[in-house]
Amino acid sequence: MAPGEKEADYIRRALQEGPFRKMRHNGNHAYAFPCGTHSNRQEIRRRMDKGLPRPTKTDLPMAA
């Protein structure tokens, strides 16, 4: 990023000049870790939705 260059301009330039490219993906993974006392953490876990299982592999095919 050049000094004084706006973020949007940098992204546009980086995509045009490379080595970056746009890529579709399934989204970012988000994790939540409850904090506090043991009883607070248990209560938070009890109230939270189970969500989806942790990913076990990448979304991308392995490079040859």
Side-chain angles (χ1 to χ4, degrees), residues 25-43:
H25 62 89
N26 295 332
N28 297 330
H29 302 292
Y31 299 94
F33 299 97
C35 299
T37 64
H38 179 73
S39 58
N40 288 120
R41 292 191 311 267
Q42 283 183 323
E43 179 68 17

Side-chain angles (χ1 to χ4, degrees), residues 36-60:
T37 64
H38 179 73
S39 58
N40 288 120
R41 292 191 311 267
Q42 283 183 323
E43 179 68 17
I44 291 168
R45 285 189 187 103
R46 187 181 66 75
R47 291 179 180 216
M48 286 179 65
D49 181 38
K50 292 292 182 190
L52 300 173
R54 287 181 176 235
T56 56
K57 58 185 177 181
T58 65
D59 297 336
L60 302 174

Side-chain angles (χ1 to χ4, degrees), residues 1-13:
M1 194 167 172
E5 185 176 24
K6 293 183 180 179
E7 289 89 356
D9 294 336
Y10 166 69
I11 292 170
R12 193 176 306 107
R13 182 176 58 80

Side-chain angles (χ1 to χ4, degrees), residues 11-30:
I11 292 170
R12 193 176 306 107
R13 182 176 58 80
L15 289 172
Q16 289 173 353
E17 295 175 5
F20 306 105
R21 63 186 171 96
K22 283 188 175 183
M23 182 178 205
R24 294 183 71 82
H25 62 89
N26 295 332
N28 297 330
H29 302 292

